[in-house]
Amino acid sequence: MSGRRIVILGGGMAGMAAAWRLSEPGWRHNYEAITLFQRGWRLGGKGASSRGVHGRIEEHGLHIWLGYYENAFRLLRECYAELDRPRTDPEAPVQSWHDALVPSTTVGLEEPAASGWSHWLGDFAANDLVPGEPDAPGEPMSVEDWVRRALGLVADFLGSLPGGAGLLQVLQNAGGTTGSGLPDPATLEVLVSEAGEHLAEVLGHEEEHGRGWALVSVVMATMRGIVVDGLLTNPDGFRAINDEDYRAWIRRHGASEDAVQSTLVRGLYDLVFAQDDRDPSHTSFGAGWGVFLSAKTFFDYKGAIFWKMTAGMGDVVFAPLYQALRRRGVDFEFFHRVDALDLSDDGLTVDAVRMGRQVALRPGVERYEPLVRVKGLPCFPDRPLVGQLDAPEAIAEAPLEHHWCEWPDAEERVLRRGEDFDDIVLATSLGMVPLVCAELVARRPEWRAMTDHVRTVATQAFQVWLGPSEEELGWAHPGVTTSGYQKPFDTWASMPQVLPAEDWPVGDRPRTVAYFCGTLVAASCPDADEARRARAQVHDDAVRFLCDGVSHHLPGFAW
C-alpha cells in the first residue's frame, strides 16, 4: 500500500466516473483512500434527480442518452454487472442496464407555420448493435468515415429519385459506398457537385420536399467543405474548422439559406444549448463540432438514436454508482461546499482545500446514508434526511445545493496536502472554477485563458403531469423527443416510460408527463417580477402546445 490519498471534489458525472476508474479492482495496492466530497445531500450535479410528492421524478433537465455514448454505456453496464441486483437486491424493479434505459427511435423537429407549428417527425431505424460493448473500438469517427457514410446517404437519395441511377452507379464505381476507400479529392469534388446539382433539380423547386432538400443541402455543403478545406489530409481533422461558426461554414460551402436557417440546423444548436444567455439572438457552435456531432448522432448510434431512462437519472445512474462505489470502499462526504483551493508558494501545487461543512451528523451517525426507496427502487429524496443530521427540521427547506446558501455552516474544514490528501481530482463544473480556483486562475495564464474563453450557459427546465393520455390530448406520437420549438423552452420530450416508477395515489395517476428545457436567458428578465411573468407565460404556451387539438378529442374540455 502506497499510502496515497485521493480527494475528488464534486459528485457529478465527471467525479463519479473518476471514482469508478480509480477504484477498479486492486486499487488499494496504489492508494490508501478515495474520498468524494459533495455539496448538499445528493449526487449527480447537473444530472441529479430526486423524488418529490407521490414519488414524482424531478429532473434538472431532459436526461436522454444518445446512441453513441459509448463511454457512458460502458461505465453503466460495468456498474450494474458488479452491483448484481438479481442476487443482492432482487426486489429493486431496475435490475440491469436493460431495465434502466429503453430505446427511442422517433425524433421530431418543430417548424413555425401559418397555422401554428408544423411537426417534422423522423423514425431512425433501430439496429442490432449494443452500446458500451467492452471490446468495441474506441477511436472517434474520422473525416474519412464521415465522408464514406455521407456518400452512402446521398446514394440512398439518388437511388430513390428519377434519373439518379446513373449518378448512383458513378458513386459506387468510385468506391464511395463500398467501404473500400474514397475517390481522390478532385474526383470527389466533381461527384459532390454533380450529385448536388441533380438533387437540387429534383427537390429544390418542390415545396413538399423542402425539408428533404434542407437535409440534402446541408450534407452536400458539408462534403464540399471537407474537400475544399482539405480536411481529409489535415491532421487536425474536424478541429481545423472550429474557429468558424457551423452555420457560417455550411453557408460558405453552398448550403442554401433556407437550409442554414432550417429547423434541422436550429435543432442541432438547441441540442447543445449553443445560445448566449446574455444575448439569445447570438448563437455559436464550432463548425468542426457541428459536423462531428451531427455525424455521430445520425450515423454512429448503436441500438437506437436515443435511449430514455425508465426512472430519474439519479435513480438509474447515480444511485447504482453510489452503491457500487461504496462496496468498493470509496468514501463519500456529503454536505461539504468547496470554497477555495490554496496554492503553494511556488504556485505549482495545491496545498490546501478550504471547505464549508454545511451541517454535522447527529451523534451516533457515522456516515450520511442518502438513499430512500420508492416502489422498491433506491433513489435520492428531494431534501436532506433530517433524521441523520444535527440540525433543526428547517434545514430541509434550505437550498444547500446553492453555493451561496445562507444557512450557517456547522464548521470550516481545511484539507491539507500531505496530511489529508496527496492527489486531487477537481470535478466541479467549469462555471465554478473562477469561484473556487481564484488563486489558480490569477497565477496561471493557461487557467485564466480557459476561464476567459471557454463559455458556459445556464439552462432551465420544467415538467408537466396531466391526467389524460397523449392520444386523448390530440398527440399521436407518445415517446417522441422534439426540438426547434418556441424559445426559451425549445426542446420537449414525451416521457411516459417513467410514470410506472412514480407512486401516485390510485385514482389520481397521470397518464402523460412532458419535459421541457432550454437556455435560461437572463437578458430577457431584468427583474424578478418580469422573470416570474415570463416563466408563467412560457409554461402556459408549452401546455397549450401539448394540448393542441384537445377539444377535438375530449368533449367539454376547456383550457
Side-chain angles (χ1 to χ4, degrees), residues 488-499:
F489 291 97
D490 47 51
T491 299
W492 76 275
S494 161
M495 301 288 280
Q497 81 284 349
V498 305
L499 289 173

Side-chain angles (χ1 to χ4, degrees), residues 1-8 17-36 325 328-331 420-425:
M1 182 182 297
S2 71
R4 297 190 69 80
R5 292 145 297 186
I6 297 178
V7 161
I8 301 173
W20 186 257
R21 291 298 170 223
L22 289 168
S23 65
E24 287 178 337
W27 70 272
R28 289 196 182 275
H29 293 294
N30 301 312
Y31 310 110
E32 177 182 338
I34 301 173
T35 306
L36 187 148
L325 287 168
R328 286 182 171 189
V330 175
D331 293 318
D420 304 297
F421 69 88
D422 299 285
D423 302 293
I424 291 178
V425 176

Side-chain angles (χ1 to χ4, degrees), residues 11 59 74 148 220 295 303 420:
E59 301 271 10
R74 187 176 297 115
R148 190 172 292 113
M220 301 307 293
D420 304 297

Side-chain angles (χ1 to χ4, degrees), residues 203-542:
L203 296 176
H205 302 295
E206 298 183 23
E207 184 176 350
E208 65 269 24
H209 292 302
R211 293 169 172 175
W213 172 238
L215 174 61
V216 170
S217 182
V218 170
V219 171
M220 301 307 293
T222 301
M223 286 202 294
R224 189 177 299 111
I226 285 173
V227 175
V228 172
D229 288 355
L231 300 189
L232 284 167
T233 57
N234 192 315
D236 289 335
F238 294 119
R239 293 187 297 274
I241 55 173
N242 269 334
D243 59 345
E244 187 172 2
D245 181 70
Y246 177 65
R247 277 195 175 106
W249 187 79
I250 59 173
R251 182 188 289 116
R252 180 164 65 85
H253 290 294
S256 70
E257 192 58 30
D258 285 344
V260 171
Q261 301 301 332
S262 69
T263 187
L264 178 71
V265 175
R266 187 169 68 252
L268 185 62
Y269 278 73
D270 291 344
L271 177 67
V272 297
F273 302 104
Q275 295 89 29
D276 187 330
D277 54 7
R278 295 171 297 184
D279 179 5
S281 65
H282 179 257
T283 59
S284 180
F285 190 22
W289 280 114
V291 177
F292 178 76
L293 289 179
S294 59
K296 293 289 287 184
T297 300
F298 299 120
F299 297 155
D300 207 30
Y301 63 83
K302 294 184 177 181
I305 187 170
F306 286 165
W307 290 77
K308 291 191 173 182
M309 297 170 195
T310 57
M313 190 167 179
D315 309 336
V316 302
V317 176
F318 290 104
L321 279 171
Y322 167 75
Q323 291 178 306
L325 287 168
R326 285 289 307 126
R327 291 183 189 179
R328 286 182 171 189
V330 175
D331 293 318
F332 287 79
E333 293 275 7
F334 291 91
F335 305 105
H336 281 75
R337 183 191 64 251
V338 179
D339 290 330
L341 272 60
D342 295 339
L343 301 187
S344 58
D345 291 340
D346 59 10
L348 298 179
T349 58
V350 174
D351 263 359
V353 180
R354 286 189 281 119
M355 317 177 83
R357 188 178 186 187
Q358 297 172 294
V359 61
L361 299 181
R362 180 165 291 184
V365 177
E366 294 185 4
R367 73 166 58 90
Y368 182 75
E369 298 294 346
L371 301 179
V372 297
R373 295 215 174 220
V374 177
K375 298 180 73 171
L377 185 63
C379 308
F380 290 94
D382 65 349
R383 59 196 64 205
L385 300 174
V386 178
Q388 302 180 46
L389 306 179
D390 187 15
E393 293 282 337
I395 197 173
E397 306 301 324
L400 297 176
E401 294 178 317
H402 195 284
H403 186 73
W404 294 277
C405 173
E406 296 182 356
W407 186 273
D409 291 338
E411 64 174 329
E412 182 184 22
R413 189 172 177 185
V414 180
L415 307 182
R416 301 192 182 280
R417 181 167 61 91
E419 298 176 12
D420 304 297
F421 69 88
D422 299 285
D423 302 293
I424 291 178
V425 176
L426 180 64
T428 61
S429 69
L430 180 59
M432 289 300 298
V433 168
L435 297 173
V436 302
C437 304
E439 185 181 1
L440 191 57
V441 171
R443 296 179 64 175
R444 300 295 293 268
E446 65 271 33
W447 281 72
R448 185 163 58 252
M450 176 182 69
T451 55
D452 285 347
H453 299 295
V454 180
R455 296 291 310 281
T456 62
V457 63
T459 60
Q460 58 184 337
F462 74 94
Q463 297 162 221
V464 178
W465 289 260
L466 298 168
S469 69
E470 292 183 46
E471 292 90 341
E472 291 172 326
L473 292 169
W475 182 251
H477 311 281
V480 72
T481 301
T482 187
S483 196
Y485 179 50
Q486 178 69 51
K487 294 187 182 305
F489 291 97
D490 47 51
T491 299
W492 76 275
S494 161
M495 301 288 280
Q497 81 284 349
V498 305
L499 289 173
E502 299 180 342
D503 195 19
W504 295 82
V506 176
D508 193 27
R509 293 173 179 167
R511 289 189 290 164
T512 293
V513 60
Y515 288 28
F516 294 79
C517 65
T519 302
L520 176 62
V521 182
S524 65
C525 301
D527 60 63
D529 288 339
E530 186 174 346
R532 282 190 290 271
R533 288 193 296 271
R535 284 195 295 269
Q537 183 61 54
V538 168
H539 174 272
D540 286 355
D541 289 346

